[in-house]
Amino acid sequence: MADEKEIKWTGVKDMPPMAVSLGSMRVNKTGNWRNLRPVIDYEKCIYCFICWKFCPEPSIDIEAAQISERVDKKPVINLNYCKGCGICAEECPVKCIEMVKEEI
Amino acid sequence: MRSVIMGNHALSYGAKLSRAQVIAAYPITPQTEVVELLSQLCANGDMKAKFIKVESEHSAMAASMGASATGARAFTATSSQGLALMHEVLHWAAGARLPIVMGNINRAFGPPWSIWTEQNDSIAQRDTGWLQIYASSNQEVLDSIIQSYKVAEKISLPIMVILDAFVLSHTYEVVDIPEQSIVDKYLPPLEMEYKLDWKNPHAFGGLTKPDWYYELRYQIEEAQEQAKKLIVDTGKEFKEMFGREYGLVEEYKMDDAEIVLISSSTIASTLHVVIDELREQGKKVGLLRIRVFRPFPSEELRKILKGRKKVAVIDRNISFGHEGAFFTETKAALFNEKDHPPIFGFIAGLGGRDVTPDVLKDIFNIVETTEWPEKDIYWIGVKL
Ligand code: SF4
Ligand code: SF4
């Protein structure tokens, strides 16, 4: 796995020869671009993970959770990177993701 | 092995000998034979490479980029409208610092529809960050591909090897096809420090803010500068192993030359004959062929042209609204020199019009009998 690095170079002489991330996205959180936040209603969720598949970032994580005998994981929005595009809410077959306004 | 082959096949054999691993290409006249032969070599197992048929030149360059980003040696070839369609991705390939090598057959743009030679297609790509080598014989085409991989992979920039449509692409010449084992010694397998590798994931080419984009551009310029010495050095090394030397420029009968004719590609080949004839008549004239257009060999030109009486640049391209590209660059290189010679600019041979020895002698006569250029640009042979 790439290191969690912030940009450490000082100039042309010690930087890589191309725009290459050295794991800087770990520290470079980009979720603050978002103005709508997806909220999953786990009561209605059918755990199909279509949202996970469609998230373009991808910022829906799959976390272990014993939901039922058959289902042992759930989708969790990673708000560090979610841009609030609403694709997950659009694609969810049971419409259990609500986009709520971010307040400062 | 000495073989009689066409310029296009010299490109194919260059790619084969360089052990290109991925070839993604789309056929276009007059480049078709390049990929025809390569696909055949891949299909019958003579080349251990993946041949990707694509639906356009834009995709050809995109696929080449993908291959190169994984650390594979990538090759493609195109011409004219195809090169123009690639334009966006050419910037990407250079910006991503991928050592792709491509053959481009110079062909005039339509409309009106044309398939004959002219340099406007490659000249229009001069600001993409690609290096440009203009070859003047089939042997040089083959050798330049091998040399280009060596240079490209050291400086992490892509290189275009350029040849004239038909005059070179479809002309058969004797070419020494070197032994694979010697080429392998000259050109070791590609090792890339940063590449697409799922074991060591990186994101490439991501959004870069003004605080670092500028430095990345400076790095490309540094690499272009570095290429100048590298082309000369790898050219000398090439001579030691293969007996043929290639640098940024080629000089012919330049020692005592007072009038210097500058050109590129096959116009420069023809100029050899013309210079010989003029020399027989006692004219002190020499040829300076510009082989590498990017990076532009400004220092060499300053050194070589110092103290000459007159210089003429013959361009088979036109930057509309101004003049020929080699002329512009030559003048710019000399502009800050004190007492530089007068520089005459000629346009000739657009759309594949033959540039015969007689045409070149006419140009020489104008330069010889005119003290200082009377026009910004001379168009030779236009039916007015
Ligand atoms: S809103 Fe967009 S970015 Fe955020 S989790 Fe849903 S699909 Fe992903
Ligand atoms: S798409 Fe909807 S139902 Fe399916 S897992 Fe995501 S939130 Fe649950």
Side-chain angles (χ1 to χ4, degrees), chain B residues 145-175:
Chain B
I145 294 292
I146 301 169
Q147 187 194 15
S148 290
Y149 277 110
K150 197 170 173 91
V151 173
E153 290 168 9
K154 282 223 170 81
I155 57 164
S156 303
L157 278 180
I159 303 184
M160 221 179 269
V161 174
I162 299 153
L163 51 147
D164 281 318
F166 300 106
V167 188
L168 214 52
S169 71
H170 288 65
T171 298
Y172 282 72
E173 291 183 335
V174 177
V175 172

Side-chain angles (χ1 to χ4, degrees), chain B residues 149-360:
Chain B
Y149 277 110
K150 197 170 173 91
V151 173
E153 290 168 9
K154 282 223 170 81
I155 57 164
S156 303
L157 278 180
I159 303 184
M160 221 179 269
V161 174
I162 299 153
L163 51 147
D164 281 318
F166 300 106
V167 188
L168 214 52
S169 71
H170 288 65
T171 298
Y172 282 72
E173 291 183 335
V174 177
V175 172
D176 175 33
I177 303 178
E179 288 294 319
Q180 183 68 60
S181 57
I182 312 176
V183 178
D184 288 347
K185 257 184 235 154
Y186 179 79
L187 184 67
L190 167 61
E191 293 289 342
M192 272 171 39
E193 192 184 348
Y194 296 102
K195 58 181 175 188
L196 280 178
D197 177 2
W198 61 271
K199 286 189 215 133
N200 184 18
H202 294 300
F204 291 92
L207 182 77
T208 301
K209 290 181 280 181
D211 53 352
W212 288 108
Y213 185 94
Y214 192 45
E215 279 66 27
L216 290 165
R217 284 302 172 262
Y218 183 84
Q219 279 183 325
I220 294 181
E221 186 52 29
E222 266 193 334
Q224 286 267 356
E225 277 302 312
Q226 204 189 328
K228 291 182 183 173
K229 188 173 178 306
L230 206 53
I231 290 168
V232 172
D233 291 350
T234 56
K236 288 201 172 110
E237 198 184 323
F238 197 92
K239 186 177 184 183
E240 280 163 29
M241 299 179 71
F242 304 96
R244 298 176 292 271
E245 184 170 350
Y246 300 99
L248 299 165
V249 297
E250 179 204 340
E251 294 175 70
Y252 184 67
K253 303 211 169 162
M254 282 290 290
D255 284 351
D256 61 343
E258 291 173 352
I259 294 180
V260 179
L261 303 179
I262 297 183
S263 199
S264 58
S265 296
T266 55
I267 292 185
S269 329
T270 310
L271 271 170
H272 284 81
V273 185
V274 174
I275 302 271
D276 286 348
E277 260 184 60
L278 292 169
R279 281 274 173 182
E280 269 170 35
Q281 296 164 23
K283 312 281 187 199
K284 289 193 168 173
V285 57
L287 159 68
L288 177 58
R289 171 168 76 92
I290 299 180
R291 174 178 182 244
V292 179
F293 182 70
R294 280 292 179 276
F296 194 75
S298 303
E299 298 84 350
E300 281 69 16
L301 259 61
R302 281 195 284 271
K303 224 185 294 159
I304 296 166
L305 297 177
K306 204 173 184 65
R308 310 286 179 179
K309 278 209 180 119
K310 287 171 191 172
V311 175
V313 185
I314 306 154
D315 272 290
R316 193 174 230 154
N317 64 77
I318 170 74
S319 172
F320 292 114
H322 197 33
E323 55 198 19
F326 286 78
F327 179 45
T328 304
E329 310 292 37
T330 302
K331 280 191 298 177
L334 265 66
F335 185 75
N336 279 341
E337 288 288 280
K338 288 202 182 91
D339 307 321
H340 63 71
I343 310 174
F344 296 70
F346 295 90
I347 303 291
L350 299 187
R353 176 84 56 92
D354 262 349
V355 182
T356 61
D358 284 341
V359 172
L360 295 168

Side-chain angles (χ1 to χ4, degrees), chain A residues 36 38 51 54-57 59-60 77 81-89 99:
Chain A
L36 290 174
C51 54
F54 275 88
C55 173
E57 278 304 309
S59 58
I60 297 180
I77 311 285
Y81 302 104
C82 165
K83 307 291 183 301
C85 68
I87 288 174
C88 54
M99 301 301 292

Side-chain angles (χ1 to χ4, degrees), chain A residues 1-2 9-12 15-22, chain B residues 96-97 194 201-205 208 212 215 218-219 222:
Chain A
M1 235 4 204
W9 50 80
T10 56
V12 169
M15 62 194 279
M18 64 190 79
V20 50
S21 94
L22 303 177
Chain B
R97 306 298 299 272
Y194 296 102
H202 294 300
F204 291 92
T208 301
W212 288 108
E215 279 66 27
Y218 183 84
Q219 279 183 325
E222 266 193 334

